[in-house]
Amino acid sequence: MRINNPQLFGDGLDALAFEQMKMSSYQQCHYAFLRAYQKAFKGESKQAIKVMENLIPSCDDLRVRVRLNALIANISVIGGNYLKASNHIDLVIQNAEQTADTTTKTLAYSAAAIVYNLLDQRELGVKYSELLYNLEPTDKNLCHLHYSSNVHHLDGNNPPKEFSEIKEMSGQCKSSGNLLYSQFLILDNIKWKLAQDRLDENALGEIEAEIRNIDAEIQNSPYKNILGIFAAIKAKFYWFKSENKLAQSHALNALKLNQDLGNTEQLIMALEVLEKVSKDNGDFQSSYNYLKKINKTQLSMYDETQAKQMAFMAVKHSNLAKVFEIEQLNRQKEVLELEKKLANQEANNQRLIILLILTVLAMMVLWLFKIKKRHDYFRDVSEIDHLTKVLTRKAFEEQVKVQLENCEKTNSPINIAIMDLDLFKNVNDSHGHLIGDWVLKNVVYAIKELVEENMILARLGGEEFCIVMADVDCETMRNKLEMMRSAIETLDCSESGAKLSVTASFGYTSSVTSGYSLPLLLTHADVALFDAKKHGRNQVVKFKTLQGRT
């Protein structure tokens, strides 16, 4: 009733209200859980969470604890409280491991698969989908496993599976009653293909056939998210077909459907189509405005992804600290027990007591050292890009914000440039990702030789890097960037084992032109980079205001 008939579910709870005095403690807790679920279903999420958090301490039965923590985690992750969601789904798993009840374990694994997928922890989403299917091999759980595996596969930047295989999985989901996952499997596959820079006629024909096959089914969907994704997919498809009017119409429809959904992948896809159409039509003002919206949306999505990762890592670090604390307490207990026994022995055993105490203390010091190493490791991982050994985007933003504040206080200039390797995708496509990684590392080695004390170098993502230089004028910045451009252009790539050459384009701006706002500085530098790419690549371009641009 709870899932299929909310009205009948509510009537049943009202009838049970008169039977509470006859209920066991487990039944009373379960009844209170169902009432909290009813609140959550009506949209009263905060009140539902408060009721359940107050209920947990009084409910000893693990079955109810799993249900309560699972529902809190699910509501919290949808509401954007990723730390609470991570904490409660962790409690769900801990409680499930302490019971042999199959129904409770099934509920726990199902909740974990859903919540971890929403937290972008795809490997864990697959792991708990597999555990769920192994525990209860139903068609419904097999569909869940198909969906989690496909999302994890695509997130790993792997080529999508063949349409025939995706169709088979989608059909299995549909036959099990899960139409939503059935549609997501098809749409995710099409969306990945449309994210490529180029598509040949065969690929476009295959995509067109899939769009036609699923069109009627999607149009009847009650979910705005599904409709928005489909509209964005159609917009991108028609842009590839050079049918700009249709592309623009579907992109605007995608924006309308996405109004209440926040920052999503389909929003970025629709904005990118509108930007390309505007540029094709010669409307560079609109193109620029759409670029700003894309940049703002991507930054927000990046912040949200970081928030999810930080929440997940915070819970894992907390658990790790608890493990170490328990181990230390156990060792301290062992020390006390040994001291008590050895205190009653003869004097000739005193040396043994001292030796044992020193050994245990040494072990405790070793554990503390391991904790510190683990802490330092996670700190370094979060600040340094593992491939190029320069700052990550998160660490870059933190350092530059401080530098911007200092420069603004002293009215000192600061310059920001974005560097992008020209046609880098061709390197990966033609020579493979290992050669691509070699190029990225050696490009960074080349420009690091030119980095000075007052400069910051960071990787924004992919083949895109940012260079910041404070307390110098624009001409000095340009000269430095030209030196970097020349160093990259003359880079000897023969050691890579591939026959290739590398160039880079630079777009930069100054606080004199763009102010001290980091988002605006990055946007203007990105516009200048766009101009550099547009006018032939392998050059350094400074951002000009709209009045000064041609």
Side-chain angles (χ1 to χ4, degrees):
M1 291 180 193
R2 174 165 64 93
I3 296 169
N4 299 317
N5 194 328
Q7 180 61 48
L8 195 58
F9 171 64
D11 294 342
L13 290 182
D14 292 340
L16 280 173
F18 301 102
E19 305 291 327
Q20 289 186 76
M21 296 299 294
K22 301 177 184 177
M23 293 181 185
S24 66
S25 60
Y26 164 69
Q27 289 171 330
Q28 288 175 352
C29 283
H30 200 155
Y31 176 76
F33 157 74
L34 293 173
R35 279 294 190 193
Y37 180 91
Q38 188 181 35
K39 282 183 177 292
F41 185 82
K42 290 178 179 178
E44 302 170 17
S45 299
K46 290 183 179 178
Q47 299 93 315
I49 288 176
K50 187 175 181 181
V51 168
M52 289 186 287
E53 287 180 332
N54 291 334
L55 185 61
I56 288 174
S58 61
C59 292
D60 296 328
D61 196 293
L62 285 176
R63 293 171 293 175
V64 180
R65 283 179 176 269
V66 167
R67 290 180 184 275
L68 290 166
N69 283 309
L71 184 55
I72 293 172
N74 214 326
I75 296 172
S76 298
V77 74
I78 292 171
N81 192 337
Y82 304 124
L83 184 58
K84 186 184 287 288
S86 296
N87 271 316
H88 282 277
I89 202 63
D90 193 65
L91 291 171
V92 167
I93 299 304
Q94 290 179 30
N95 287 329
E97 288 173 351
Q98 297 176 44
T99 179
D101 182 61
T102 302
T103 302
T104 302
K105 283 184 177 290
T106 300
L107 188 148
Y109 296 157
S110 176
I114 292 169
V115 172
Y116 281 129
N117 270 329
L118 291 173
L119 285 170
D120 295 338
Q121 299 298 321
R122 306 301 189 191
E123 283 192 24
L124 288 175
V126 174
K127 171 187 172 182
Y128 285 104
S129 294
E130 289 175 342
L131 288 173
L132 176 62
Y133 182 68
N134 291 336
L135 187 66
E136 195 175 77
T138 63
D139 287 343
K140 176 184 173 184
N141 292 338
L142 179 58
C143 169
H144 208 138
L145 178 57
H146 284 329
Y147 172 74
S148 294
S149 300
N150 190 58
V151 170
H152 179 50
H153 178 80
L154 293 177
D155 271 6
N157 205 28
N158 300 301
K161 298 175 182 177
E162 294 295 328
F163 267 129
S164 57
E165 186 178 354
I166 292 296
K167 279 183 180 178
E168 185 178 340
M169 292 192 292
S170 174
Q172 190 278 322
C173 282
K174 190 183 294 185
S175 65
S176 71
N178 198 326
L179 186 60
L180 198 59
Y181 277 175
S182 169
Q183 293 169 349
F184 268 125
L185 282 163
I186 299 290
L187 295 180
D188 285 347
N189 208 47
I190 297 175
K191 191 167 56 175
W192 195 100
K193 287 180 179 291
L194 288 172
Q196 309 310 303
D197 292 334
R198 296 185 187 85
L199 290 174
D200 58 29
E201 288 299 321
N202 289 336
L204 285 172
E206 193 176 39
I207 291 171
E208 185 174 18
E210 290 305 314
I211 290 175
R212 194 183 304 115
N213 288 339
I214 202 171
D215 188 271
E217 183 180 297
I218 295 291
Q219 298 307 330
N220 291 323
S221 174
Y223 299 107
K224 278 190 175 182
N225 189 34
I226 285 286
L227 293 170
I229 293 171
F230 196 48
I233 282 173
K234 281 185 173 180
K236 190 68 177 286
F237 170 74
Y238 284 117
W239 181 81
F240 269 115
K241 297 278 285 183
S242 299
E243 298 180 31
N244 281 1
K245 285 188 177 180
L246 278 173
Q248 185 179 43
S249 173
H250 285 295
L252 291 172
N253 186 36
L255 295 188
K256 182 179 177 182
L257 290 165
N258 199 80
Q259 280 180 347
D260 300 324
L261 301 178
N263 298 314
T264 61
E265 289 183 4
Q266 63 262 32
L267 174 60
I268 292 177
M269 185 185 290
L271 288 171
E272 286 176 343
V273 170
L274 291 170
E275 187 275 326
K276 293 175 188 296
V277 170
S278 298
K279 189 168 64 175
D280 291 344
N281 293 337
D283 186 355
F284 296 107
Q285 180 62 53
S286 295
S287 175
Y288 172 69
N289 291 336
Y290 284 126
L291 272 175
K292 287 202 298 185
K293 289 180 182 178
I294 291 168
N295 185 52
K296 182 179 178 181
T297 305
Q298 287 175 331
L299 285 174
S300 297
M301 289 185 70
Y302 174 80
D303 289 343
E304 188 173 335
T305 300
Q306 291 300 305
K308 291 178 181 180
Q309 186 65 22
M310 291 299 292
F312 175 76
M313 294 304 295
V315 172
K316 292 305 172 189
H317 287 182
S318 175
N319 289 342
L320 186 62
K322 287 176 184 176
V323 170
F324 284 135
E325 185 179 355
I326 290 170
E327 290 182 355
Q328 288 183 35
L329 289 172
N330 286 336
R331 294 190 181 283
Q332 289 173 359
K333 182 181 177 183
E334 291 174 9
V335 170
L336 291 173
E337 290 176 351
L338 285 171
E339 287 179 339
K340 185 177 179 180
K341 291 178 181 178
L342 294 172
N344 297 324
Q345 292 181 359
E346 297 178 0
N348 60 352
N349 290 330
Q350 292 300 314
R351 293 179 182 176
L352 179 59
I353 295 174
I354 295 171
L355 179 61
L356 287 170
I357 292 173
L358 290 174
T359 301
V360 172
L361 288 175
M363 292 175 71
M364 290 173 65
V365 169
L366 179 61
W367 280 113
L368 290 171
F369 176 71
K370 287 183 178 180
I371 292 173
K372 185 178 184 305
K373 280 191 68 177
R374 183 63 61 91
H375 172 77
D376 291 342
Y377 167 78
F378 283 119
R379 183 196 62 204
D380 292 342
V381 164
S382 66
E383 292 180 352
I384 302 298
D385 177 63
H386 74 281
L387 178 65
T388 59
K389 308 305 178 187
V390 297
L391 293 178
T392 62
R393 181 164 191 146
K394 178 178 178 296
F396 157 77
E397 288 178 351
E398 291 174 353
Q399 292 192 22
V400 172
K401 282 178 182 176
V402 173
Q403 200 167 28
L404 282 169
E405 289 173 2
N406 292 337
C407 288
E408 187 172 15
K409 286 177 184 176
T410 59
N411 198 27
S412 303
I414 186 168
N415 301 275
I416 287 186
I418 297 178
M419 178 194 87
D420 187 82
L421 297 186
D422 297 327
L423 304 175
F424 183 72
K425 186 177 182 299
N426 292 345
V427 174
N428 282 332
D429 290 347
S430 302
H431 303 287
H433 286 280
L434 287 177
I435 299 298
D437 289 350
W438 185 95
V439 170
L440 286 173
K441 287 190 288 188
N442 281 272
V443 163
V444 170
Y445 295 157
I447 62 178
K448 267 187 176 180
E449 296 291 328
L450 301 168
V451 171
E452 300 176 11
E453 255 188 56
N454 61 338
M455 295 177 69
I456 294 174
L457 176 62
R459 185 182 184 187
L460 299 183
E463 66 272 22
E464 199 170 72
F465 296 83
C466 193
I467 303 106
V468 179
M469 195 172 188
D471 300 320
V472 297
D473 57 25
C474 285
E475 190 60 28
T476 303
M477 179 66 169
R478 183 179 185 85
N479 291 338
K480 179 61 71 174
L481 295 178
E482 278 291 348
M483 291 168 68
M484 290 181 176
R485 185 198 64 75
S486 177
I488 294 170
E489 187 180 23
T490 57
L491 181 66
D492 182 7
C493 297
S494 60
E495 289 185 10
S496 70
K499 189 174 182 181
L500 54 88
S501 60
V502 184
T503 62
S505 299
F506 295 76
Y508 76 102
T509 187
S510 165
S511 57
V512 176
T513 303
S514 306
Y516 293 97
S517 165
L518 180 57
L520 191 58
L521 284 162
L522 288 172
T523 298
H524 286 175
D526 202 41
V527 170
L529 176 62
F530 175 80
D531 285 341
K533 294 282 188 180
K534 181 180 176 182
H535 293 95
R537 302 185 178 88
N538 191 24
Q539 56 186 286
V540 178
V541 174
K542 181 180 181 295
F543 173 77
K544 299 177 183 178
T545 59
L546 290 175
Q547 291 81 358
R549 296 177 69 194
T550 59

